[in-house]
Structure formats: C-alpha cells, structure tokens
Amino acid sequence: MLFTKSFGLIMGCAFTFSAAVMAQSQPEVWLTKADRTALFTRQATGLNPVTAKNKQPTIFVNDKETFQSIDGFGYALTGGSAQHIVKMSAPARAALLKELFATNGTNIGVSYIRLSIGASDLNEKVFSYNDLPEGRTDLEQAKFDLGPDKADVIPVMKEILSINPKIKIMGSPWSPPLWMKTTYDARGGMLKPEYYGTYAKYFVRYVQEMQKAGIPIDAITVQNEPLHPGNNPSLLMVAPDQAVFVKQFLGPAFAKANIKTKIIVYDHNADRPDYPISILDDPAAKKYIAGSAFHLYGGKIEALTDVHNAHPDKNIYFSEQMVVEQPDAATINIVNPVKRLIIGATRNWSKNVLEWNLAADPQNKPYTDRGGCSMCQGAVTINGDNYSRNLAYFSIAHASKFVRPGSVRIASNELNGLANVAFKTPDGKYVLVVANTGKDAAAFNISQNGKTYAATLDKGAVATYLW
C-alpha cells in the first residue's frame, strides 16, 4: 500500500466531547460480512461517539491532506452484458438498471462504464466497425458502422444515461479491423504502419457516431492489453509503436476533429510501469495524453504510484480486473477485491476503479472461441428476467454509492489488518471504506476533526462509514 503522512497509533487516549458533538447524528454503517449475513446492508444503528479512554487503535481521517479527484466506480458493459440485459422484459430491465445506476434507497450508484470499441472477448463473435474481406481497404472509413452494438450496447447505454446522464464512459479496442493488421486474424498481429492514419480516423468516427447516438465518450484507451496478443480478439502494440500512433496520428486527428475525448495509454497490468512512462517521457506524445490505465492480473498496485511520481501531471486510471466467486458459496471473500482494488488503486492515485464485467448468464456466456474468457463472471448473473448479485457487485457498491464523481481522496493512516481509504464528497460528507484483513475481529476508533467514534468489524468483513 502507498503510505501517505503517518498519524501514528493512539493508545490509551481519552476523548472529550461537547454536548453539541454528542448530539450529532451517528455515522451510517453499510456492512458486508464474510458469512453473508450482511451483504452491503445498512445497519440499523450507526457508530457511537467515544466518551471515555480506550486502548483501541485509531484511523485518523485528515481532510487537510488531499490527493486525486474521483471520476467514478463501475464495470465494463461488454457486448455480452448488454445482450443479456436487452433481452430482459422492459420492467425487469428497468428494475435492474435502476438498482445498478440510481443512488437513492439501496441502489448502488455505478458512475463509470467501460465499453469495448468493436468486440471484446465477451462477445458472441468477433467484429469491428469496418469489417472487409481480406485484401480490401477503406482508408477514409466510409464504410464505418457501429453494427452489432446498435442492437444491444447502444440501447442499454441510452437507458443507463436516462438514469444517470453524467455517467463517465471509457471506450477500449481489443483489435483494429483485420485488414489493418499484419495478420488477417482477430488474435495477435500488429497494426500495419501504413494504416496508422486510417486507424486514427476509425477512433474519430467511433467518438462521433456514439455522440450522434447520444452517448458521450469521456475517454478512450489506445489498446486493451497491448502486451497480450493471445486473446480473441487482441493486438500486440509495443510502447514505441503506441507513442508514434498517439503523437503522429491519433492526437492530431482528435485535435483536427475538435474531439475532447481523453486519450489514455497502456491499459494493461501493473507489472510494466515502464510502458506508460516511456510514452509519457516523449513530450510530443505526452501533450495529447490524459493519463495511463492499469489492470492487476500481474504486478503490484503500488506501480501506479511509480507512474504518478514519474508524471504527476497525468492521471492514473484502473480500467479492468476480473472479480469472481463460486456460485452459491457459503462465504464471500469481500476483503480481497476491496483491499486490492477499491482501497489499493485509489490509495495509489487512480481516479476510478472498473471491474470486469457487468453481466453474464449462469454459464458465464457469451465469450468468443479461441481465447475468450469462460470464467469471467458478471457483477450480476442474469437468467431470463431474474438476476443474482455476485462478489463484483458488492465490492464496487461499497464505494460507488457514496464516493460520487468529484469526490477527493483524503488522508487516512492504515492500521495492521485494517486496510482503508477515505474521501470527501462534493457535498461535504466523509466516506471511509475499511476492510478487516486480519485473523480476528477488530475494535478500533475512527477520528476526524476532533470527533471520534468506536467501531468493530468482524474478520473478513468490509464496512463503508458515511458522515
């Protein structure tokens, strides 16, 4: 974990509260327990103020020390996810999307979505927006068409936008059209240099056509997992090539078309921070780039801070991580994704956290053949008009409902076995997410601006505190 300014552990301190402080409303507690007796459930009673000396360790929340602003938390709306959602009856679909994207009641307020530009490996089949027979080309993108996405992704996104018009959307390609590649195959290959210019036009058309459909694209990544050419679809794009593509083609094409969509590089595992750093080290490329994006199938989450430190003027994003559990498991390992992603990524400068992916059926379908992911469970499992909530649902919910876009991460000290992260929201509230990763139940204090509350958290439990 990234440790910021240390506040130390306070043992045996007596806390004195005025009647005015005591009269304040208790902080809300939303709890998930490992034994599933609570699953992102608001507790009937909040936290009580500490009124006498105790020897419990204390998490100090300090809003005088601030870090990055937050864009949101959410999932990838893959083509497969949208396919299942769009097939639900209108009332069932409306109920699901309200639960996911509205913020009132017990709805979880997802605030960031990632779309695939063309097919991902969680589509039924591979496609791009400009598929042509081998040997044919379309340099001006005259035949560009959003194609299959018009049947599922776009209508589902329109319903989501009707619930949350300000949701942020990131687009990521898994592969260019096959005719632009060194091999006429969805898997692997590289982008032919002679097609850098037309591929930049492909991105321009994507942003423009989605905008015409009423779907604003806030950011694009240049290539999903550019160092993993074995997926279906996929593309190998090494860092020097990505730098050339951005600085000579994509950046100028966006500027010429007056496109404000952010350009984000890398979009792969935390084991190669040198990839985005090398691109950002090139001033001609850097001027077009908003930041870099990461996954965590390899490497350590602290690498995000290494990239931030190398280029503190550029943003950090966390764009993908698969989070799965066994269906009908007796316990839920909620502390793992919350500690690694919700806490880990944001404590290392990420402006968002996206998990993979929003929805699948009970067999985790659809996925492409020859390399699609057969184990990628959705945040929700959809079976007709029925759906169940999985680990990814609850882990994102602990942040998305309360840490609204525009929130700012603020300082908090981490205690042994009590991973945590704190935020201040645009409306002046405070949010603290705590995961008990220790071997026993824990009792501790939460202190901020002279107010201290007593908390307890079972082993393997996660709580979000709101005040």
Side-chain angles (χ1 to χ4, degrees), residues 105-141:
T106 58
N107 302 315
I108 69 169
V110 168
S111 51
Y112 208 122
I113 282 291
R114 184 182 184 218
L115 304 177
S116 60
I117 300 176
S120 76
D121 57 310
L122 294 187
N123 278 82
E124 276 190 325
K125 61 180 181 179
V126 173
F127 66 88
S128 78
Y129 302 132
N130 197 336
D131 289 326
L132 297 174
E134 190 170 5
R136 298 278 299 277
T137 65
D138 178 17
L139 300 184
E140 297 304 316
Q141 295 301 312

PDB file of all heavy atoms in Angstrom, residues 105-141:
ATOM      1  N   GLY A 105     -32.215   5.146  -2.054  1.00  0.00           N
ATOM      2  CA  GLY A 105     -32.542   3.871  -1.415  1.00  0.00           C
ATOM      3  C   GLY A 105     -31.341   2.967  -1.283  1.00  0.00           C
ATOM      4  O   GLY A 105     -30.262   3.377  -0.845  1.00  0.00           O
ATOM      5  N   THR A 106     -31.512   1.721  -1.690  1.00  0.00           N
ATOM      6  CA  THR A 106     -30.407   0.756  -1.645  1.00  0.00           C
ATOM      7  C   THR A 106     -29.733   0.586  -3.002  1.00  0.00           C
ATOM      8  O   THR A 106     -28.897  -0.303  -3.172  1.00  0.00           O
ATOM      9  CB  THR A 106     -30.919  -0.615  -1.155  1.00  0.00           C
ATOM     10  OG1 THR A 106     -31.959  -1.063  -2.034  1.00  0.00           O
ATOM     11  CG2 THR A 106     -31.440  -0.524   0.271  1.00  0.00           C
ATOM     12  N   ASN A 107     -30.070   1.413  -3.975  1.00  0.00           N
ATOM     13  CA  ASN A 107     -29.414   1.354  -5.285  1.00  0.00           C
ATOM     14  C   ASN A 107     -27.944   1.752  -5.137  1.00  0.00           C
ATOM     15  O   ASN A 107     -27.594   2.564  -4.282  1.00  0.00           O
ATOM     16  CB  ASN A 107     -30.129   2.276  -6.266  1.00  0.00           C
ATOM     17  CG  ASN A 107     -31.595   1.917  -6.421  1.00  0.00           C
ATOM     18  OD1 ASN A 107     -31.939   0.746  -6.550  1.00  0.00           O
ATOM     19  ND2 ASN A 107     -32.472   2.919  -6.389  1.00  0.00           N
ATOM     20  N   ILE A 108     -27.078   1.192  -5.989  1.00  0.00           N
ATOM     21  CA  ILE A 108     -25.639   1.295  -5.711  1.00  0.00           C
ATOM     22  C   ILE A 108     -24.904   2.380  -6.491  1.00  0.00           C
ATOM     23  O   ILE A 108     -23.718   2.590  -6.280  1.00  0.00           O
ATOM     24  CB  ILE A 108     -24.937  -0.073  -5.891  1.00  0.00           C
ATOM     25  CG1 ILE A 108     -24.895  -0.501  -7.362  1.00  0.00           C
ATOM     26  CG2 ILE A 108     -25.593  -1.132  -5.012  1.00  0.00           C
ATOM     27  CD1 ILE A 108     -23.996  -1.707  -7.610  1.00  0.00           C
ATOM     28  N   GLY A 109     -25.562   3.064  -7.413  1.00  0.00           N
ATOM     29  CA  GLY A 109     -24.980   4.270  -7.991  1.00  0.00           C
ATOM     30  C   GLY A 109     -23.721   4.099  -8.806  1.00  0.00           C
ATOM     31  O   GLY A 109     -22.799   4.928  -8.714  1.00  0.00           O
ATOM     32  N   VAL A 110     -23.652   3.064  -9.644  1.00  0.00           N
ATOM     33  CA  VAL A 110     -22.499   2.909 -10.534  1.00  0.00           C
ATOM     34  C   VAL A 110     -22.330   4.199 -11.354  1.00  0.00           C
ATOM     35  O   VAL A 110     -23.290   4.719 -11.917  1.00  0.00           O
ATOM     36  CB  VAL A 110     -22.688   1.693 -11.462  1.00  0.00           C
ATOM     37  CG1 VAL A 110     -21.656   1.686 -12.585  1.00  0.00           C
ATOM     38  CG2 VAL A 110     -22.610   0.408 -10.645  1.00  0.00           C
ATOM     39  N   SER A 111     -21.096   4.704 -11.421  1.00  0.00           N
ATOM     40  CA  SER A 111     -20.869   6.019 -12.023  1.00  0.00           C
ATOM     41  C   SER A 111     -19.859   6.018 -13.160  1.00  0.00           C
ATOM     42  O   SER A 111     -19.539   7.079 -13.704  1.00  0.00           O
ATOM     43  CB  SER A 111     -20.411   7.005 -10.938  1.00  0.00           C
ATOM     44  OG  SER A 111     -19.321   6.477 -10.196  1.00  0.00           O
ATOM     45  N   TYR A 112     -19.345   4.846 -13.541  1.00  0.00           N
ATOM     46  CA  TYR A 112     -18.367   4.770 -14.636  1.00  0.00           C
ATOM     47  C   TYR A 112     -18.591   3.459 -15.384  1.00  0.00           C
ATOM     48  O   TYR A 112     -18.781   2.410 -14.762  1.00  0.00           O
ATOM     49  CB  TYR A 112     -16.944   4.831 -14.079  1.00  0.00           C
ATOM     50  CG  TYR A 112     -15.903   5.414 -15.011  1.00  0.00           C
ATOM     51  CD1 TYR A 112     -15.146   6.521 -14.657  1.00  0.00           C
ATOM     52  CD2 TYR A 112     -15.659   4.846 -16.258  1.00  0.00           C
ATOM     53  CE1 TYR A 112     -14.176   7.049 -15.504  1.00  0.00           C
ATOM     54  CE2 TYR A 112     -14.693   5.361 -17.115  1.00  0.00           C
ATOM     55  CZ  TYR A 112     -13.967   6.471 -16.734  1.00  0.00           C
ATOM     56  OH  TYR A 112     -13.009   6.989 -17.577  1.00  0.00           O
ATOM     57  N   ILE A 113     -18.566   3.539 -16.705  1.00  0.00           N
ATOM     58  CA  ILE A 113     -18.762   2.363 -17.559  1.00  0.00           C
ATOM     59  C   ILE A 113     -17.641   2.298 -18.589  1.00  0.00           C
ATOM     60  O   ILE A 113     -17.213   3.325 -19.135  1.00  0.00           O
ATOM     61  CB  ILE A 113     -20.138   2.431 -18.267  1.00  0.00           C
ATOM     62  CG1 ILE A 113     -21.253   2.034 -17.316  1.00  0.00           C
ATOM     63  CG2 ILE A 113     -20.175   1.556 -19.515  1.00  0.00           C
ATOM     64  CD1 ILE A 113     -21.272   0.561 -16.929  1.00  0.00           C
ATOM     65  N   ARG A 114     -17.174   1.098 -18.868  1.00  0.00           N
ATOM     66  CA  ARG A 114     -16.204   0.873 -19.939  1.00  0.00           C
ATOM     67  C   ARG A 114     -16.882   0.077 -21.048  1.00  0.00           C
ATOM     68  O   ARG A 114     -17.525  -0.949 -20.785  1.00  0.00           O
ATOM     69  CB  ARG A 114     -14.996   0.108 -19.407  1.00  0.00           C
ATOM     70  CG  ARG A 114     -13.865  -0.102 -20.418  1.00  0.00           C
ATOM     71  CD  ARG A 114     -12.756  -0.904 -19.764  1.00  0.00           C
ATOM     72  NE  ARG A 114     -11.589  -1.083 -20.613  1.00  0.00           N
ATOM     73  CZ  ARG A 114     -10.863  -2.191 -20.681  1.00  0.00           C
ATOM     74  NH1 ARG A 114     -11.208  -3.251 -19.938  1.00  0.00           N
ATOM     75  NH2 ARG A 114      -9.804  -2.276 -21.453  1.00  0.00           N
ATOM     76  N   LEU A 115     -16.743   0.539 -22.274  1.00  0.00           N
ATOM     77  CA  LEU A 115     -17.273  -0.141 -23.445  1.00  0.00           C
ATOM     78  C   LEU A 115     -16.128  -0.665 -24.295  1.00  0.00           C
ATOM     79  O   LEU A 115     -15.036  -0.087 -24.308  1.00  0.00           O
ATOM     80  CB  LEU A 115     -18.117   0.816 -24.297  1.00  0.00           C
ATOM     81  CG  LEU A 115     -19.288   1.521 -23.617  1.00  0.00           C
ATOM     82  CD1 LEU A 115     -19.959   2.473 -24.608  1.00  0.00           C
ATOM     83  CD2 LEU A 115     -20.296   0.507 -23.088  1.00  0.00           C
ATOM     84  N   SER A 116     -16.367  -1.742 -25.016  1.00  0.00           N
ATOM     85  CA  SER A 116     -15.380  -2.195 -25.988  1.00  0.00           C
ATOM     86  C   SER A 116     -15.651  -1.501 -27.323  1.00  0.00           C
ATOM     87  O   SER A 116     -16.801  -1.345 -27.737  1.00  0.00           O
ATOM     88  CB  SER A 116     -15.420  -3.712 -26.160  1.00  0.00           C
ATOM     89  OG  SER A 116     -16.686  -4.152 -26.604  1.00  0.00           O
ATOM     90  N   ILE A 117     -14.584  -1.054 -27.976  1.00  0.00           N
ATOM     91  CA  ILE A 117     -14.684  -0.459 -29.309  1.00  0.00           C
ATOM     92  C   ILE A 117     -14.598  -1.619 -30.294  1.00  0.00           C
ATOM     93  O   ILE A 117     -13.526  -2.153 -30.550  1.00  0.00           O
ATOM     94  CB  ILE A 117     -13.574   0.576 -29.534  1.00  0.00           C
ATOM     95  CG1 ILE A 117     -13.683   1.698 -28.493  1.00  0.00           C
ATOM     96  CG2 ILE A 117     -13.625   1.141 -30.946  1.00  0.00           C
ATOM     97  CD1 ILE A 117     -12.569   2.730 -28.559  1.00  0.00           C
ATOM     98  N   GLY A 118     -15.750  -2.054 -30.811  1.00  0.00           N
ATOM     99  CA  GLY A 118     -15.837  -3.326 -31.505  1.00  0.00           C
ATOM    100  C   GLY A 118     -16.029  -4.425 -30.472  1.00  0.00           C
ATOM    101  O   GLY A 118     -16.421  -4.178 -29.329  1.00  0.00           O
ATOM    102  N   ALA A 119     -15.729  -5.645 -30.852  1.00  0.00           N
ATOM    103  CA  ALA A 119     -15.943  -6.779 -29.956  1.00  0.00           C
ATOM    104  C   ALA A 119     -14.827  -6.888 -28.923  1.00  0.00           C
ATOM    105  O   ALA A 119     -13.672  -6.538 -29.185  1.00  0.00           O
ATOM    106  CB  ALA A 119     -16.029  -8.069 -30.752  1.00  0.00           C
ATOM    107  N   SER A 120     -15.190  -7.394 -27.739  1.00  0.00           N
ATOM    108  CA  SER A 120     -14.212  -7.882 -26.774  1.00  0.00           C
ATOM    109  C   SER A 120     -14.306  -9.401 -26.769  1.00  0.00           C
ATOM    110  O   SER A 120     -15.059 -10.003 -27.539  1.00  0.00           O
ATOM    111  CB  SER A 120     -14.499  -7.325 -25.378  1.00  0.00           C
ATOM    112  OG  SER A 120     -15.605  -8.005 -24.782  1.00  0.00           O
ATOM    113  N   ASP A 121     -13.564 -10.042 -25.877  1.00  0.00           N
ATOM    114  CA  ASP A 121     -13.645 -11.496 -25.790  1.00  0.00           C
ATOM    115  C   ASP A 121     -14.917 -11.949 -25.079  1.00  0.00           C
ATOM    116  O   ASP A 121     -15.170 -13.153 -24.981  1.00  0.00           O
ATOM    117  CB  ASP A 121     -12.409 -12.079 -25.101  1.00  0.00           C
ATOM    118  CG  ASP A 121     -12.180 -11.512 -23.711  1.00  0.00           C
ATOM    119  OD1 ASP A 121     -12.193 -10.278 -23.572  1.00  0.00           O
ATOM    120  OD2 ASP A 121     -11.982 -12.282 -22.765  1.00  0.00           O
ATOM    121  N   LEU A 122     -15.735 -11.007 -24.597  1.00  0.00           N
ATOM    122  CA  LEU A 122     -17.034 -11.355 -24.020  1.00  0.00           C
ATOM    123  C   LEU A 122     -18.171 -10.930 -24.935  1.00  0.00           C
ATOM    124  O   LEU A 122     -19.209 -10.454 -24.508  1.00  0.00           O
ATOM    125  CB  LEU A 122     -17.187 -10.736 -22.623  1.00  0.00           C
ATOM    126  CG  LEU A 122     -16.224 -11.282 -21.566  1.00  0.00           C
ATOM    127  CD1 LEU A 122     -16.570 -10.742 -20.192  1.00  0.00           C
ATOM    128  CD2 LEU A 122     -16.217 -12.813 -21.543  1.00  0.00           C
ATOM    129  N   ASN A 123     -17.940 -11.097 -26.223  1.00  0.00           N
ATOM    130  CA  ASN A 123     -18.993 -11.042 -27.240  1.00  0.00           C
ATOM    131  C   ASN A 123     -19.200 -12.442 -27.796  1.00  0.00           C
ATOM    132  O   ASN A 123     -18.326 -13.313 -27.662  1.00  0.00           O
ATOM    133  CB  ASN A 123     -18.609 -10.107 -28.381  1.00  0.00           C
ATOM    134  CG  ASN A 123     -18.890  -8.649 -28.075  1.00  0.00           C
ATOM    135  OD1 ASN A 123     -18.099  -7.979 -27.416  1.00  0.00           O
ATOM    136  ND2 ASN A 123     -20.030  -8.158 -28.556  1.00  0.00           N
ATOM    137  N   GLU A 124     -20.344 -12.659 -28.437  1.00  0.00           N
ATOM    138  CA  GLU A 124     -20.588 -13.967 -29.056  1.00  0.00           C
ATOM    139  C   GLU A 124     -19.626 -14.231 -30.200  1.00  0.00           C
ATOM    140  O   GLU A 124     -19.194 -15.360 -30.416  1.00  0.00           O
ATOM    141  CB  GLU A 124     -22.028 -14.028 -29.591  1.00  0.00           C
ATOM    142  CG  GLU A 124     -23.042 -14.405 -28.547  1.00  0.00           C
ATOM    143  CD  GLU A 124     -24.400 -14.705 -29.147  1.00  0.00           C
ATOM    144  OE1 GLU A 124     -24.764 -14.038 -30.140  1.00  0.00           O
ATOM    145  OE2 GLU A 124     -25.080 -15.612 -28.642  1.00  0.00           O
ATOM    146  N   LYS A 125     -19.297 -13.187 -30.947  1.00  0.00           N
ATOM    147  CA  LYS A 125     -18.385 -13.354 -32.070  1.00  0.00           C
ATOM    148  C   LYS A 125     -17.568 -12.080 -32.234  1.00  0.00           C
ATOM    149  O   LYS A 125     -17.922 -11.018 -31.727  1.00  0.00           O
ATOM    150  CB  LYS A 125     -19.153 -13.647 -33.359  1.00  0.00           C
ATOM    151  CG  LYS A 125     -20.119 -12.555 -33.782  1.00  0.00           C
ATOM    152  CD  LYS A 125     -20.845 -12.918 -35.061  1.00  0.00           C
ATOM    153  CE  LYS A 125     -21.802 -11.798 -35.501  1.00  0.00           C
ATOM    154  NZ  LYS A 125     -22.484 -12.132 -36.756  1.00  0.00           N
ATOM    155  N   VAL A 126     -16.484 -12.202 -32.956  1.00  0.00           N
ATOM    156  CA  VAL A 126     -15.578 -11.080 -33.183  1.00  0.00           C
ATOM    157  C   VAL A 126     -16.124 -10.202 -34.309  1.00  0.00           C
ATOM    158  O   VAL A 126     -16.620 -10.695 -35.320  1.00  0.00           O
ATOM    159  CB  VAL A 126     -14.173 -11.587 -33.545  1.00  0.00           C
ATOM    160  CG1 VAL A 126     -13.267 -10.432 -33.958  1.00  0.00           C
ATOM    161  CG2 VAL A 126     -13.565 -12.345 -32.370  1.00  0.00           C
ATOM    162  N   PHE A 127     -16.049  -8.902 -34.115  1.00  0.00           N
ATOM    163  CA  PHE A 127     -16.385  -7.953 -35.175  1.00  0.00           C
ATOM    164  C   PHE A 127     -15.670  -6.640 -34.903  1.00  0.00           C
ATOM    165  O   PHE A 127     -15.263  -6.349 -33.778  1.00  0.00           O
ATOM    166  CB  PHE A 127     -17.898  -7.709 -35.242  1.00  0.00           C
ATOM    167  CG  PHE A 127     -18.467  -7.013 -34.034  1.00  0.00           C
ATOM    168  CD1 PHE A 127     -18.511  -5.623 -33.963  1.00  0.00           C
ATOM    169  CD2 PHE A 127     -18.943  -7.742 -32.953  1.00  0.00           C
ATOM    170  CE1 PHE A 127     -19.017  -4.982 -32.835  1.00  0.00           C
ATOM    171  CE2 PHE A 127     -19.446  -7.103 -31.822  1.00  0.00           C
ATOM    172  CZ  PHE A 127     -19.485  -5.721 -31.762  1.00  0.00           C
ATOM    173  N   SER A 128     -15.503  -5.844 -35.939  1.00  0.00           N
ATOM    174  CA  SER A 128     -15.085  -4.458 -35.799  1.00  0.00           C
ATOM    175  C   SER A 128     -16.167  -3.604 -36.449  1.00  0.00           C
ATOM    176  O   SER A 128     -17.193  -4.118 -36.909  1.00  0.00           O
ATOM    177  CB  SER A 128     -13.730  -4.216 -36.472  1.00  0.00           C
ATOM    178  OG  SER A 128     -13.885  -4.119 -37.883  1.00  0.00           O
ATOM    179  N   TYR A 129     -15.939  -2.316 -36.501  1.00  0.00           N
ATOM    180  CA  TYR A 129     -16.915  -1.428 -37.119  1.00  0.00           C
ATOM    181  C   TYR A 129     -16.616  -1.178 -38.598  1.00  0.00           C
ATOM    182  O   TYR A 129     -17.268  -0.340 -39.226  1.00  0.00           O
ATOM    183  CB  TYR A 129     -16.952  -0.085 -36.378  1.00  0.00           C
ATOM    184  CG  TYR A 129     -17.292  -0.202 -34.912  1.00  0.00           C
ATOM    185  CD1 TYR A 129     -16.522   0.451 -33.953  1.00  0.00           C
ATOM    186  CD2 TYR A 129     -18.388  -0.946 -34.474  1.00  0.00           C
ATOM    187  CE1 TYR A 129     -16.835   0.364 -32.608  1.00  0.00           C
ATOM    188  CE2 TYR A 129     -18.692  -1.046 -33.131  1.00  0.00           C
ATOM    189  CZ  TYR A 129     -17.913  -0.389 -32.199  1.00  0.00           C
ATOM    190  OH  TYR A 129     -18.221  -0.482 -30.860  1.00  0.00           O
ATOM    191  N   ASN A 130     -15.653  -1.923 -39.132  1.00  0.00           N
ATOM    192  CA  ASN A 130     -15.339  -1.772 -40.554  1.00  0.00           C
ATOM    193  C   ASN A 130     -14.717  -3.063 -41.066  1.00  0.00           C
ATOM    194  O   ASN A 130     -13.542  -3.117 -41.425  1.00  0.00           O
ATOM    195  CB  ASN A 130     -14.392  -0.583 -40.775  1.00  0.00           C
ATOM    196  CG  ASN A 130     -14.355  -0.133 -42.221  1.00  0.00           C
ATOM    197  OD1 ASN A 130     -14.646  -0.899 -43.129  1.00  0.00           O
ATOM    198  ND2 ASN A 130     -13.999   1.129 -42.442  1.00  0.00           N
ATOM    199  N   ASP A 131     -15.521  -4.121 -41.055  1.00  0.00           N
ATOM    200  CA  ASP A 131     -15.025  -5.428 -41.492  1.00  0.00           C
ATOM    201  C   ASP A 131     -15.089  -5.529 -43.018  1.00  0.00           C
ATOM    202  O   ASP A 131     -16.125  -5.264 -43.628  1.00  0.00           O
ATOM    203  CB  ASP A 131     -15.863  -6.546 -40.866  1.00  0.00           C
ATOM    204  CG  ASP A 131     -15.601  -6.686 -39.380  1.00  0.00           C
ATOM    205  OD1 ASP A 131     -14.449  -6.459 -38.955  1.00  0.00           O
ATOM    206  OD2 ASP A 131     -16.552  -7.000 -38.635  1.00  0.00           O
ATOM    207  N   LEU A 132     -13.962  -5.927 -43.593  1.00  0.00           N
ATOM    208  CA  LEU A 132     -13.856  -6.061 -45.041  1.00  0.00           C
ATOM    209  C   LEU A 132     -13.170  -7.380 -45.383  1.00  0.00           C
ATOM    210  O   LEU A 132     -12.397  -7.915 -44.582  1.00  0.00           O
ATOM    211  CB  LEU A 132     -13.022  -4.913 -45.627  1.00  0.00           C
ATOM    212  CG  LEU A 132     -13.576  -3.490 -45.463  1.00  0.00           C
ATOM    213  CD1 LEU A 132     -12.544  -2.486 -45.962  1.00  0.00           C
ATOM    214  CD2 LEU A 132     -14.888  -3.336 -46.221  1.00  0.00           C
ATOM    215  N   PRO A 133     -13.437  -7.925 -46.560  1.00  0.00           N
ATOM    216  CA  PRO A 133     -12.727  -9.134 -46.983  1.00  0.00           C
ATOM    217  C   PRO A 133     -11.227  -8.880 -47.073  1.00  0.00           C
ATOM    218  O   PRO A 133     -10.785  -7.743 -47.299  1.00  0.00           O
ATOM    219  CB  PRO A 133     -13.322  -9.425 -48.373  1.00  0.00           C
ATOM    220  CG  PRO A 133     -14.624  -8.693 -48.407  1.00  0.00           C
ATOM    221  CD  PRO A 133     -14.423  -7.476 -47.554  1.00  0.00           C
ATOM    222  N   GLU A 134     -10.465  -9.926 -46.891  1.00  0.00           N
ATOM    223  CA  GLU A 134      -9.014  -9.806 -46.969  1.00  0.00           C
ATOM    224  C   GLU A 134      -8.614  -9.233 -48.317  1.00  0.00           C
ATOM    225  O   GLU A 134      -9.111  -9.635 -49.366  1.00  0.00           O
ATOM    226  CB  GLU A 134      -8.361 -11.171 -46.759  1.00  0.00           C
ATOM    227  CG  GLU A 134      -6.860 -11.111 -46.582  1.00  0.00           C
ATOM    228  CD  GLU A 134      -6.262 -12.423 -46.128  1.00  0.00           C
ATOM    229  OE1 GLU A 134      -7.021 -13.427 -46.040  1.00  0.00           O
ATOM    230  OE2 GLU A 134      -5.048 -12.456 -45.850  1.00  0.00           O
ATOM    231  N   GLY A 135      -7.731  -8.253 -48.288  1.00  0.00           N
ATOM    232  CA  GLY A 135      -7.280  -7.600 -49.496  1.00  0.00           C
ATOM    233  C   GLY A 135      -8.000  -6.302 -49.815  1.00  0.00           C
ATOM    234  O   GLY A 135      -7.534  -5.508 -50.622  1.00  0.00           O
ATOM    235  N   ARG A 136      -9.135  -6.039 -49.135  1.00  0.00           N
ATOM    236  CA  ARG A 136      -9.885  -4.807 -49.338  1.00  0.00           C
ATOM    237  C   ARG A 136      -9.494  -3.794 -48.267  1.00  0.00           C
ATOM    238  O   ARG A 136      -9.097  -4.159 -47.153  1.00  0.00           O
ATOM    239  CB  ARG A 136     -11.386  -5.071 -49.263  1.00  0.00           C
ATOM    240  CG  ARG A 136     -11.907  -6.028 -50.328  1.00  0.00           C
ATOM    241  CD  ARG A 136     -12.154  -5.335 -51.650  1.00  0.00           C
ATOM    242  NE  ARG A 136     -13.162  -4.283 -51.508  1.00  0.00           N
ATOM    243  CZ  ARG A 136     -14.475  -4.508 -51.547  1.00  0.00           C
ATOM    244  NH1 ARG A 136     -14.939  -5.744 -51.717  1.00  0.00           N
ATOM    245  NH2 ARG A 136     -15.317  -3.498 -51.439  1.00  0.00           N
ATOM    246  N   THR A 137      -9.618  -2.511 -48.589  1.00  0.00           N
ATOM    247  CA  THR A 137      -9.319  -1.442 -47.632  1.00  0.00           C
ATOM    248  C   THR A 137     -10.384  -0.359 -47.711  1.00  0.00           C
ATOM    249  O   THR A 137     -11.154  -0.295 -48.669  1.00  0.00           O
ATOM    250  CB  THR A 137      -7.941  -0.807 -47.903  1.00  0.00           C
ATOM    251  OG1 THR A 137      -7.975  -0.163 -49.184  1.00  0.00           O
ATOM    252  CG2 THR A 137      -6.834  -1.847 -47.873  1.00  0.00           C
ATOM    253  N   ASP A 138     -10.399   0.487 -46.685  1.00  0.00           N
ATOM    254  CA  ASP A 138     -11.316   1.631 -46.642  1.00  0.00           C
ATOM    255  C   ASP A 138     -10.598   2.733 -45.880  1.00  0.00           C
ATOM    256  O   ASP A 138     -10.864   2.980 -44.707  1.00  0.00           O
ATOM    257  CB  ASP A 138     -12.632   1.246 -45.963  1.00  0.00           C
ATOM    258  CG  ASP A 138     -13.605   2.409 -45.857  1.00  0.00           C
ATOM    259  OD1 ASP A 138     -13.416   3.411 -46.573  1.00  0.00           O
ATOM    260  OD2 ASP A 138     -14.537   2.326 -45.036  1.00  0.00           O
ATOM    261  N   LEU A 139      -9.687   3.412 -46.555  1.00  0.00           N
ATOM    262  CA  LEU A 139      -8.785   4.342 -45.881  1.00  0.00           C
ATOM    263  C   LEU A 139      -9.510   5.527 -45.263  1.00  0.00           C
ATOM    264  O   LEU A 139      -9.056   6.075 -44.258  1.00  0.00           O
ATOM    265  CB  LEU A 139      -7.725   4.839 -46.873  1.00  0.00           C
ATOM    266  CG  LEU A 139      -6.839   3.750 -47.504  1.00  0.00           C
ATOM    267  CD1 LEU A 139      -5.767   4.376 -48.387  1.00  0.00           C
ATOM    268  CD2 LEU A 139      -6.210   2.866 -46.439  1.00  0.00           C
ATOM    269  N   GLU A 140     -10.626   5.932 -45.825  1.00  0.00           N
ATOM    270  CA  GLU A 140     -11.359   7.089 -45.308  1.00  0.00           C
ATOM    271  C   GLU A 140     -12.476   6.703 -44.350  1.00  0.00           C
ATOM    272  O   GLU A 140     -13.250   7.550 -43.922  1.00  0.00           O
ATOM    273  CB  GLU A 140     -11.912   7.910 -46.478  1.00  0.00           C
ATOM    274  CG  GLU A 140     -10.843   8.499 -47.386  1.00  0.00           C
ATOM    275  CD  GLU A 140      -9.842   9.358 -46.629  1.00  0.00           C
ATOM    276  OE1 GLU A 140     -10.280  10.165 -45.772  1.00  0.00           O
ATOM    277  OE2 GLU A 140      -8.629   9.214 -46.885  1.00  0.00           O
ATOM    278  N   GLN A 141     -12.594   5.422 -44.024  1.00  0.00           N
ATOM    279  CA  GLN A 141     -13.628   4.942 -43.099  1.00  0.00           C
ATOM    280  C   GLN A 141     -15.046   5.253 -43.590  1.00  0.00           C
ATOM    281  O   GLN A 141     -15.962   5.524 -42.801  1.00  0.00           O
ATOM    282  CB  GLN A 141     -13.406   5.525 -41.702  1.00  0.00           C
ATOM    283  CG  GLN A 141     -12.125   5.060 -41.028  1.00  0.00           C
ATOM    284  CD  GLN A 141     -12.083   3.539 -40.862  1.00  0.00           C
ATOM    285  OE1 GLN A 141     -13.026   2.931 -40.404  1.00  0.00           O
ATOM    286  NE2 GLN A 141     -10.974   2.945 -41.278  1.00  0.00           N
TER     287      GLN A 141
END
